[in-house]
Amino acid sequence: MNKNCKLCWIILGLFFAANVVLLSLWWMSSQKKTDRSRGRGKMEMKRLRQHLESNIGIDSVQFDVFNKLRHVHFEQLNHTKLKIDSIERLLRLETFTDNSDSLKVYGLIDEIAVYQKEVEMQNYIHYRKLRSVCKSEEQRKRLDSNFKNLIDKKHGRHRNRYRSGRSK
């Protein structure tokens, strides 16, 4: 019985050591991912700065204002989108219940629409603020053109008309 107990302790020690090694490897890999994402964010900001300087003609002061406006806007959007997500979760729960209340469903959908309207208004106000940072009408025209192209790409206006793969 003493040898069995000793063997159990050895096996338990090996499992403990293996867990420590695996957890340290997992922790190290997660640190590398966060370092890469921080580096990626810096690279994206550098590319954005270069793009705005070369295509729109903004200077560093204007870029700093753009960047501050961008951070404030994303914080507001995140807050509103979290509200939309929580309402959508409630709607999904209502979807998968046996006795769904249609008035509650309509109410949740109406709430989502109200917050989506708020998102669109925040986007509109944000873009108007960005336009006001431009020093000349030429910069505003360039900014408008760049944003129109970005929105067109985002909403798929450069894609084929038919999604099924059919051609004209």
Side-chain angles (χ1 to χ4, degrees):
M1 184 160 170
N2 195 7
K3 285 187 178 185
N4 288 337
C5 188
K6 194 174 191 179
L7 182 64
C8 290
W9 281 107
I10 291 172
I11 292 173
L12 187 63
L14 289 174
F15 278 129
F16 178 75
N19 280 332
V20 168
V21 168
L22 288 175
L23 286 174
S24 63
L25 289 174
W26 174 73
W27 182 77
M28 287 173 37
S29 69
S30 68
Q31 289 299 318
K32 288 180 184 176
K33 287 179 186 175
T34 56
D35 291 343
R36 276 187 261 144
S37 66
R38 285 186 197 132
R40 194 174 323 137
K42 288 180 184 177
M43 287 300 292
E44 288 174 7
M45 189 58 63
K46 187 176 180 180
R47 272 196 328 230
L48 178 64
R49 178 185 286 265
Q50 289 172 346
H51 176 76
L52 292 175
E53 287 174 351
S54 65
N55 291 349
I56 299 171
I58 68 164
D59 57 24
S60 61
V61 174
Q62 287 174 305
F63 181 78
D64 292 340
V65 173
F66 268 48
N67 200 24
K68 287 177 186 174
L69 288 171
R70 186 174 154 265
H71 284 293
V72 169
H73 177 62
F74 285 151
E75 285 176 15
Q76 291 173 340
L77 272 185
N78 188 39
H79 181 68
T80 306
K81 287 188 176 192
L82 287 174
K83 288 178 184 177
I84 291 173
D85 289 345
S86 66
I87 297 169
E88 285 177 343
R89 267 188 237 107
L90 292 173
L91 182 62
R92 280 192 304 272
L93 288 174
E94 196 64 31
T95 301
F96 299 114
T97 60
D98 291 332
N99 298 323
S100 182
D101 181 11
S102 61
L103 289 177
K104 186 174 182 181
V105 170
Y106 287 128
L108 292 171
I109 291 171
D110 287 343
E111 275 188 78
I112 291 172
V114 167
Y115 284 117
Q116 187 60 43
K117 180 181 173 184
E118 188 177 322
V119 166
E120 296 302 326
M121 188 53 126
Q122 288 172 355
N123 285 335
Y124 172 78
I125 292 169
H126 171 65
Y127 185 71
R128 299 308 291 183
K129 287 178 182 177
L130 289 179
R131 282 187 97 237
S132 70
V133 174
C134 294
K135 292 180 179 176
S136 68
E137 188 60 35
E138 180 63 28
Q139 276 187 339
R140 280 193 264 313
K141 286 180 182 178
R142 288 180 181 175
L143 183 70
D144 290 346
S145 175
N146 275 275
F147 268 77
K148 284 177 187 175
N149 289 336
L150 181 71
I151 290 170
D152 285 347
K153 286 179 185 176
K154 181 180 176 184
H155 293 287
R157 291 193 178 96
H158 292 292
R159 294 183 196 154
N160 291 337
R161 263 179 105 170
Y162 300 106
R163 294 180 185 208
S164 64
R166 295 183 293 157
S167 60
K168 292 182 185 179

